[in-house]
Amino acid sequence: MNSAKTTRRTVLTGVAAAAAFGLATGPAQAETNGLKIGMLLYDGFSLLDPTGPAEVLSRLPDATVTMIAQHRGPVRTDTRDVAVLAERSVAEVNRLDVLLVPGAGSRGTLAAMENPVLLDWIRRIHRHTTWTTSVCTGTLILGAAGLLRDRATTYWASADYLEKTFGVRYVPERYVQVGKVITAAGVSAGIDLALYLASLLTDEETARGIQLAVEYDPQPPFDSGNAATASPELKALALKLLADSQE
């Protein structure tokens, strides 16, 4: 591709994203009526939690998906091997149509749950969202922000903590909707959540089209992804593999 065209496209994309989130783009600030979707990043988040849904939701017509963190810049995942760039800080974003809060390893989740800056921002953004969502232990962060009611889902190993800490009923489903809050189960369930969201934000036919566009047709080689049918030994191994990868 011609380098000049690449540069121009990069610049225009940046300008469009800035305008979508109410940021100054120069003397003639642009306006947009498109969907504003934000993924909150924080140190130690799980990589697929925001990026899986972003892959789906970025295909929505007239939608802008932006990674947001307490501070702009690269944010490390729970394995520390990968970083995702946060293009906006929470101080720069005041309104979103959709907020997604990802999960993390135990250290990352607990740190986010105790971060008053992030919790206050989540509450403020939630007041005006159409949908406030979470993936995996991101549900616990929504709980710490006081946004859970009645029932929710989360990572299977966090079910007891969810119920005892926030007084909501754990539902072992891929995603659970209560009002405008939609919580998803562990990591990969974020893609299911995103497709459901796509149908709510547009229509089922568009969501089906996106599902085909990203060829989401899961056929795993093993039938071991459901905690309800997993042996105690397999559960212990799963948690050990997670813990070892986050050291």
Side-chain angles (χ1 to χ4, degrees):
M1 181 181 292
N2 182 281
S3 59
K5 290 182 178 179
T6 302
T7 301
R8 181 174 182 273
R9 178 177 296 176
T10 302
V11 171
L12 290 177
T13 300
V15 170
F21 284 83
L23 300 169
T25 58
Q29 182 174 333
E31 297 291 339
T32 179
N33 295 317
L35 287 168
K36 304 174 184 64
I37 303 170
M39 310 288 175
L40 177 63
L41 306 183
Y42 54 89
D43 190 60
F45 73 95
S46 296
L47 179 60
L48 191 63
D49 283 16
T51 57
E55 177 68 33
V56 171
L57 298 174
S58 64
R59 312 296 174 178
L60 287 171
D62 200 23
T64 300
V65 176
T66 296
M67 300 293 175
I68 305 163
Q70 187 166 349
H71 305 286
R72 286 193 186 201
V75 184
R76 286 278 164 189
T77 65
D78 51 3
T79 66
R80 318 307 295 176
D81 294 331
V82 180
V84 175
L85 181 66
E87 295 183 298
R88 299 286 177 260
S89 71
V90 294
E92 296 174 293
V93 180
N94 297 314
R95 293 287 184 104
L96 291 171
D97 297 301
V98 178
L99 168 64
L100 184 141
V101 179
S106 57
R107 288 193 297 270
T109 300
L110 289 172
M113 290 172 63
E114 296 172 355
N115 186 324
V117 174
L118 294 185
L119 295 182
D120 181 62
W121 181 79
I122 290 170
R123 294 185 195 104
R124 287 188 288 109
I125 291 295
H126 173 70
R127 294 190 192 114
H128 302 287
T129 57
T130 301
W131 303 105
T132 298
T133 70
S134 65
V135 180
C136 196
T137 58
T139 299
L140 306 181
I141 299 171
L142 292 187
L147 304 186
L148 298 182
R149 301 287 183 274
D150 185 40
R151 64 195 186 279
T153 192
T154 185
Y155 185 58
W156 59 268
S158 300
D160 288 345
Y161 185 90
L162 174 71
E163 293 190 333
K164 293 175 181 178
T165 304
F166 302 112
V168 298
R169 179 167 54 91
Y170 167 70
V171 181
E173 300 290 346
R174 295 292 277 178
Y175 53 85
V176 172
Q177 179 183 346
V178 177
K180 71 172 188 175
V181 174
I182 310 176
T183 55
V187 188
S188 65
I191 298 176
D192 295 28
L193 163 70
L195 287 168
Y196 177 59
L197 264 178
S199 72
L200 296 176
L201 293 167
T202 55
D203 52 63
E204 183 175 324
E205 188 68 12
T206 300
R208 286 177 175 273
I210 293 173
Q211 180 174 353
L212 180 57
V214 301
E215 201 170 351
Y216 181 58
D217 184 25
Q219 300 175 40
F222 311 111
D223 184 18
S224 55
N226 189 334
T229 59
S231 68
E233 293 78 13
L234 189 58
K235 289 181 178 179
L237 174 59
L239 294 178
K240 182 179 186 302
L241 290 169
L242 280 178
D244 289 349
S245 70
Q246 296 167 11
E247 289 181 350

PDB file of all heavy atoms in Angstrom, residues 168-193:
ATOM      1  N   VAL A 168     -25.762 -10.990  45.086  1.00  0.00           N
ATOM      2  CA  VAL A 168     -26.522 -11.284  43.874  1.00  0.00           C
ATOM      3  C   VAL A 168     -26.376 -12.771  43.559  1.00  0.00           C
ATOM      4  O   VAL A 168     -25.397 -13.410  43.928  1.00  0.00           O
ATOM      5  CB  VAL A 168     -26.053 -10.436  42.674  1.00  0.00           C
ATOM      6  CG1 VAL A 168     -26.261  -8.964  42.951  1.00  0.00           C
ATOM      7  CG2 VAL A 168     -24.588 -10.713  42.353  1.00  0.00           C
ATOM      8  N   ARG A 169     -27.363 -13.311  42.889  1.00  0.00           N
ATOM      9  CA  ARG A 169     -27.380 -14.736  42.567  1.00  0.00           C
ATOM     10  C   ARG A 169     -26.536 -15.026  41.339  1.00  0.00           C
ATOM     11  O   ARG A 169     -26.698 -14.378  40.308  1.00  0.00           O
ATOM     12  CB  ARG A 169     -28.824 -15.190  42.348  1.00  0.00           C
ATOM     13  CG  ARG A 169     -28.978 -16.657  41.973  1.00  0.00           C
ATOM     14  CD  ARG A 169     -30.430 -17.084  42.094  1.00  0.00           C
ATOM     15  NE  ARG A 169     -31.317 -16.217  41.338  1.00  0.00           N
ATOM     16  CZ  ARG A 169     -31.681 -16.438  40.057  1.00  0.00           C
ATOM     17  NH1 ARG A 169     -31.192 -17.484  39.403  1.00  0.00           N
ATOM     18  NH2 ARG A 169     -32.510 -15.618  39.442  1.00  0.00           N
ATOM     19  N   TYR A 170     -25.637 -15.979  41.452  1.00  0.00           N
ATOM     20  CA  TYR A 170     -24.823 -16.404  40.311  1.00  0.00           C
ATOM     21  C   TYR A 170     -25.661 -17.284  39.395  1.00  0.00           C
ATOM     22  O   TYR A 170     -26.304 -18.241  39.840  1.00  0.00           O
ATOM     23  CB  TYR A 170     -23.593 -17.177  40.789  1.00  0.00           C
ATOM     24  CG  TYR A 170     -22.878 -17.911  39.677  1.00  0.00           C
ATOM     25  CD1 TYR A 170     -22.174 -17.215  38.698  1.00  0.00           C
ATOM     26  CD2 TYR A 170     -22.906 -19.305  39.611  1.00  0.00           C
ATOM     27  CE1 TYR A 170     -21.513 -17.889  37.672  1.00  0.00           C
ATOM     28  CE2 TYR A 170     -22.249 -19.991  38.603  1.00  0.00           C
ATOM     29  CZ  TYR A 170     -21.560 -19.283  37.641  1.00  0.00           C
ATOM     30  OH  TYR A 170     -20.915 -19.950  36.626  1.00  0.00           O
ATOM     31  N   VAL A 171     -25.650 -16.956  38.108  1.00  0.00           N
ATOM     32  CA  VAL A 171     -26.364 -17.740  37.107  1.00  0.00           C
ATOM     33  C   VAL A 171     -25.340 -18.307  36.130  1.00  0.00           C
ATOM     34  O   VAL A 171     -24.620 -17.546  35.483  1.00  0.00           O
ATOM     35  CB  VAL A 171     -27.393 -16.877  36.346  1.00  0.00           C
ATOM     36  CG1 VAL A 171     -28.149 -17.725  35.329  1.00  0.00           C
ATOM     37  CG2 VAL A 171     -28.355 -16.217  37.318  1.00  0.00           C
ATOM     38  N   PRO A 172     -25.239 -19.616  36.017  1.00  0.00           N
ATOM     39  CA  PRO A 172     -24.217 -20.218  35.144  1.00  0.00           C
ATOM     40  C   PRO A 172     -24.602 -20.201  33.673  1.00  0.00           C
ATOM     41  O   PRO A 172     -24.767 -21.249  33.038  1.00  0.00           O
ATOM     42  CB  PRO A 172     -24.105 -21.648  35.695  1.00  0.00           C
ATOM     43  CG  PRO A 172     -25.472 -21.950  36.203  1.00  0.00           C
ATOM     44  CD  PRO A 172     -25.994 -20.647  36.763  1.00  0.00           C
ATOM     45  N   GLU A 173     -24.739 -19.023  33.125  1.00  0.00           N
ATOM     46  CA  GLU A 173     -25.075 -18.844  31.709  1.00  0.00           C
ATOM     47  C   GLU A 173     -23.954 -18.073  31.026  1.00  0.00           C
ATOM     48  O   GLU A 173     -23.132 -17.441  31.679  1.00  0.00           O
ATOM     49  CB  GLU A 173     -26.395 -18.092  31.552  1.00  0.00           C
ATOM     50  CG  GLU A 173     -27.600 -18.777  32.187  1.00  0.00           C
ATOM     51  CD  GLU A 173     -28.018 -20.031  31.449  1.00  0.00           C
ATOM     52  OE1 GLU A 173     -27.550 -20.242  30.305  1.00  0.00           O
ATOM     53  OE2 GLU A 173     -28.808 -20.818  32.021  1.00  0.00           O
ATOM     54  N   ARG A 174     -23.936 -18.089  29.689  1.00  0.00           N
ATOM     55  CA  ARG A 174     -22.910 -17.371  28.942  1.00  0.00           C
ATOM     56  C   ARG A 174     -23.027 -15.867  29.170  1.00  0.00           C
ATOM     57  O   ARG A 174     -22.023 -15.172  29.263  1.00  0.00           O
ATOM     58  CB  ARG A 174     -22.992 -17.692  27.447  1.00  0.00           C
ATOM     59  CG  ARG A 174     -22.679 -19.124  27.104  1.00  0.00           C
ATOM     60  CD  ARG A 174     -21.220 -19.452  27.358  1.00  0.00           C
ATOM     61  NE  ARG A 174     -20.344 -19.048  26.245  1.00  0.00           N
ATOM     62  CZ  ARG A 174     -19.030 -19.191  26.242  1.00  0.00           C
ATOM     63  NH1 ARG A 174     -18.408 -19.707  27.295  1.00  0.00           N
ATOM     64  NH2 ARG A 174     -18.306 -18.817  25.198  1.00  0.00           N
ATOM     65  N   TYR A 175     -24.239 -15.356  29.245  1.00  0.00           N
ATOM     66  CA  TYR A 175     -24.448 -13.949  29.596  1.00  0.00           C
ATOM     67  C   TYR A 175     -25.804 -13.815  30.259  1.00  0.00           C
ATOM     68  O   TYR A 175     -26.719 -14.613  30.032  1.00  0.00           O
ATOM     69  CB  TYR A 175     -24.333 -13.022  28.377  1.00  0.00           C
ATOM     70  CG  TYR A 175     -25.205 -13.401  27.210  1.00  0.00           C
ATOM     71  CD1 TYR A 175     -26.527 -12.981  27.132  1.00  0.00           C
ATOM     72  CD2 TYR A 175     -24.698 -14.174  26.173  1.00  0.00           C
ATOM     73  CE1 TYR A 175     -27.334 -13.330  26.055  1.00  0.00           C
ATOM     74  CE2 TYR A 175     -25.489 -14.523  25.087  1.00  0.00           C
ATOM     75  CZ  TYR A 175     -26.800 -14.099  25.030  1.00  0.00           C
ATOM     76  OH  TYR A 175     -27.595 -14.453  23.974  1.00  0.00           O
ATOM     77  N   VAL A 176     -25.909 -12.803  31.111  1.00  0.00           N
ATOM     78  CA  VAL A 176     -27.123 -12.569  31.883  1.00  0.00           C
ATOM     79  C   VAL A 176     -27.451 -11.087  31.830  1.00  0.00           C
ATOM     80  O   VAL A 176     -26.592 -10.239  32.101  1.00  0.00           O
ATOM     81  CB  VAL A 176     -26.939 -13.010  33.352  1.00  0.00           C
ATOM     82  CG1 VAL A 176     -28.139 -12.590  34.195  1.00  0.00           C
ATOM     83  CG2 VAL A 176     -26.722 -14.519  33.434  1.00  0.00           C
ATOM     84  N   GLN A 177     -28.685 -10.767  31.484  1.00  0.00           N
ATOM     85  CA  GLN A 177     -29.120  -9.374  31.398  1.00  0.00           C
ATOM     86  C   GLN A 177     -30.066  -9.036  32.534  1.00  0.00           C
ATOM     87  O   GLN A 177     -31.048  -9.728  32.781  1.00  0.00           O
ATOM     88  CB  GLN A 177     -29.823  -9.116  30.059  1.00  0.00           C
ATOM     89  CG  GLN A 177     -30.335  -7.687  29.914  1.00  0.00           C
ATOM     90  CD  GLN A 177     -31.086  -7.461  28.611  1.00  0.00           C
ATOM     91  OE1 GLN A 177     -31.013  -8.280  27.687  1.00  0.00           O
ATOM     92  NE2 GLN A 177     -31.819  -6.370  28.536  1.00  0.00           N
ATOM     93  N   VAL A 178     -29.759  -7.965  33.249  1.00  0.00           N
ATOM     94  CA  VAL A 178     -30.649  -7.408  34.268  1.00  0.00           C
ATOM     95  C   VAL A 178     -30.733  -5.921  34.014  1.00  0.00           C
ATOM     96  O   VAL A 178     -29.767  -5.178  34.249  1.00  0.00           O
ATOM     97  CB  VAL A 178     -30.125  -7.679  35.696  1.00  0.00           C
ATOM     98  CG1 VAL A 178     -31.037  -7.025  36.723  1.00  0.00           C
ATOM     99  CG2 VAL A 178     -30.017  -9.174  35.956  1.00  0.00           C
ATOM    100  N   GLY A 179     -31.863  -5.475  33.508  1.00  0.00           N
ATOM    101  CA  GLY A 179     -31.975  -4.076  33.109  1.00  0.00           C
ATOM    102  C   GLY A 179     -30.995  -3.780  31.996  1.00  0.00           C
ATOM    103  O   GLY A 179     -30.925  -4.513  31.010  1.00  0.00           O
ATOM    104  N   LYS A 180     -30.216  -2.724  32.151  1.00  0.00           N
ATOM    105  CA  LYS A 180     -29.255  -2.377  31.104  1.00  0.00           C
ATOM    106  C   LYS A 180     -27.849  -2.906  31.407  1.00  0.00           C
ATOM    107  O   LYS A 180     -26.903  -2.574  30.709  1.00  0.00           O
ATOM    108  CB  LYS A 180     -29.216  -0.870  30.877  1.00  0.00           C
ATOM    109  CG  LYS A 180     -28.578  -0.044  31.994  1.00  0.00           C
ATOM    110  CD  LYS A 180     -28.446   1.402  31.524  1.00  0.00           C
ATOM    111  CE  LYS A 180     -27.653   2.255  32.498  1.00  0.00           C
ATOM    112  NZ  LYS A 180     -27.433   3.626  31.990  1.00  0.00           N
ATOM    113  N   VAL A 181     -27.737  -3.741  32.439  1.00  0.00           N
ATOM    114  CA  VAL A 181     -26.457  -4.363  32.780  1.00  0.00           C
ATOM    115  C   VAL A 181     -26.442  -5.795  32.246  1.00  0.00           C
ATOM    116  O   VAL A 181     -27.348  -6.585  32.539  1.00  0.00           O
ATOM    117  CB  VAL A 181     -26.218  -4.358  34.294  1.00  0.00           C
ATOM    118  CG1 VAL A 181     -24.946  -5.133  34.634  1.00  0.00           C
ATOM    119  CG2 VAL A 181     -26.129  -2.927  34.815  1.00  0.00           C
ATOM    120  N   ILE A 182     -25.423  -6.106  31.456  1.00  0.00           N
ATOM    121  CA  ILE A 182     -25.277  -7.455  30.923  1.00  0.00           C
ATOM    122  C   ILE A 182     -23.903  -7.973  31.332  1.00  0.00           C
ATOM    123  O   ILE A 182     -22.884  -7.366  31.003  1.00  0.00           O
ATOM    124  CB  ILE A 182     -25.408  -7.494  29.390  1.00  0.00           C
ATOM    125  CG1 ILE A 182     -26.657  -6.751  28.921  1.00  0.00           C
ATOM    126  CG2 ILE A 182     -25.464  -8.948  28.899  1.00  0.00           C
ATOM    127  CD1 ILE A 182     -26.798  -6.679  27.407  1.00  0.00           C
ATOM    128  N   THR A 183     -23.905  -9.077  32.053  1.00  0.00           N
ATOM    129  CA  THR A 183     -22.655  -9.685  32.495  1.00  0.00           C
ATOM    130  C   THR A 183     -22.411 -10.966  31.714  1.00  0.00           C
ATOM    131  O   THR A 183     -23.354 -11.674  31.366  1.00  0.00           O
ATOM    132  CB  THR A 183     -22.709 -10.003  34.000  1.00  0.00           C
ATOM    133  OG1 THR A 183     -23.860 -10.825  34.281  1.00  0.00           O
ATOM    134  CG2 THR A 183     -22.809  -8.721  34.807  1.00  0.00           C
ATOM    135  N   ALA A 184     -21.150 -11.250  31.428  1.00  0.00           N
ATOM    136  CA  ALA A 184     -20.789 -12.459  30.697  1.00  0.00           C
ATOM    137  C   ALA A 184     -19.908 -13.341  31.557  1.00  0.00           C
ATOM    138  O   ALA A 184     -19.225 -12.866  32.468  1.00  0.00           O
ATOM    139  CB  ALA A 184     -20.071 -12.113  29.388  1.00  0.00           C
ATOM    140  N   ALA A 185     -19.902 -14.623  31.246  1.00  0.00           N
ATOM    141  CA  ALA A 185     -19.062 -15.587  31.959  1.00  0.00           C
ATOM    142  C   ALA A 185     -17.603 -15.405  31.530  1.00  0.00           C
ATOM    143  O   ALA A 185     -17.229 -14.369  30.992  1.00  0.00           O
ATOM    144  CB  ALA A 185     -19.568 -17.001  31.698  1.00  0.00           C
ATOM    145  N   GLY A 186     -16.786 -16.432  31.750  1.00  0.00           N
ATOM    146  CA  GLY A 186     -15.356 -16.299  31.523  1.00  0.00           C
ATOM    147  C   GLY A 186     -14.946 -16.042  30.092  1.00  0.00           C
ATOM    148  O   GLY A 186     -15.579 -16.508  29.146  1.00  0.00           O
ATOM    149  N   VAL A 187     -13.902 -15.260  29.944  1.00  0.00           N
ATOM    150  CA  VAL A 187     -13.138 -14.907  28.753  1.00  0.00           C
ATOM    151  C   VAL A 187     -13.884 -15.077  27.424  1.00  0.00           C
ATOM    152  O   VAL A 187     -14.336 -14.113  26.838  1.00  0.00           O
ATOM    153  CB  VAL A 187     -11.803 -15.681  28.731  1.00  0.00           C
ATOM    154  CG1 VAL A 187     -10.905 -15.177  27.600  1.00  0.00           C
ATOM    155  CG2 VAL A 187     -11.059 -15.500  30.055  1.00  0.00           C
ATOM    156  N   SER A 188     -14.008 -16.313  26.926  1.00  0.00           N
ATOM    157  CA  SER A 188     -14.577 -16.530  25.592  1.00  0.00           C
ATOM    158  C   SER A 188     -16.043 -16.136  25.508  1.00  0.00           C
ATOM    159  O   SER A 188     -16.556 -15.848  24.415  1.00  0.00           O
ATOM    160  CB  SER A 188     -14.417 -17.993  25.167  1.00  0.00           C
ATOM    161  OG  SER A 188     -15.179 -18.850  26.002  1.00  0.00           O
ATOM    162  N   ALA A 189     -16.739 -16.095  26.653  1.00  0.00           N
ATOM    163  CA  ALA A 189     -18.154 -15.718  26.650  1.00  0.00           C
ATOM    164  C   ALA A 189     -18.351 -14.272  26.216  1.00  0.00           C
ATOM    165  O   ALA A 189     -19.466 -13.877  25.848  1.00  0.00           O
ATOM    166  CB  ALA A 189     -18.766 -15.936  28.030  1.00  0.00           C
ATOM    167  N   GLY A 190     -17.284 -13.480  26.249  1.00  0.00           N
ATOM    168  CA  GLY A 190     -17.394 -12.096  25.796  1.00  0.00           C
ATOM    169  C   GLY A 190     -17.802 -11.985  24.336  1.00  0.00           C
ATOM    170  O   GLY A 190     -18.463 -11.014  23.942  1.00  0.00           O
ATOM    171  N   ILE A 191     -17.418 -12.961  23.524  1.00  0.00           N
ATOM    172  CA  ILE A 191     -17.805 -12.931  22.116  1.00  0.00           C
ATOM    173  C   ILE A 191     -19.308 -13.178  21.980  1.00  0.00           C
ATOM    174  O   ILE A 191     -19.988 -12.515  21.189  1.00  0.00           O
ATOM    175  CB  ILE A 191     -16.997 -13.961  21.312  1.00  0.00           C
ATOM    176  CG1 ILE A 191     -15.504 -13.615  21.388  1.00  0.00           C
ATOM    177  CG2 ILE A 191     -17.458 -14.004  19.853  1.00  0.00           C
ATOM    178  CD1 ILE A 191     -14.604 -14.619  20.703  1.00  0.00           C
ATOM    179  N   ASP A 192     -19.837 -14.120  22.766  1.00  0.00           N
ATOM    180  CA  ASP A 192     -21.281 -14.359  22.763  1.00  0.00           C
ATOM    181  C   ASP A 192     -22.029 -13.105  23.205  1.00  0.00           C
ATOM    182  O   ASP A 192     -23.043 -12.718  22.605  1.00  0.00           O
ATOM    183  CB  ASP A 192     -21.622 -15.505  23.707  1.00  0.00           C
ATOM    184  CG  ASP A 192     -21.041 -16.838  23.266  1.00  0.00           C
ATOM    185  OD1 ASP A 192     -19.994 -16.838  22.598  1.00  0.00           O
ATOM    186  OD2 ASP A 192     -21.627 -17.886  23.595  1.00  0.00           O
ATOM    187  N   LEU A 193     -21.524 -12.485  24.276  1.00  0.00           N
ATOM    188  CA  LEU A 193     -22.114 -11.237  24.752  1.00  0.00           C
ATOM    189  C   LEU A 193     -22.128 -10.190  23.653  1.00  0.00           C
ATOM    190  O   LEU A 193     -23.138  -9.496  23.439  1.00  0.00           O
ATOM    191  CB  LEU A 193     -21.323 -10.725  25.952  1.00  0.00           C
ATOM    192  CG  LEU A 193     -21.528  -9.250  26.341  1.00  0.00           C
ATOM    193  CD1 LEU A 193     -22.912  -9.038  26.915  1.00  0.00           C
ATOM    194  CD2 LEU A 193     -20.458  -8.797  27.322  1.00  0.00           C
TER     195      LEU A 193
END
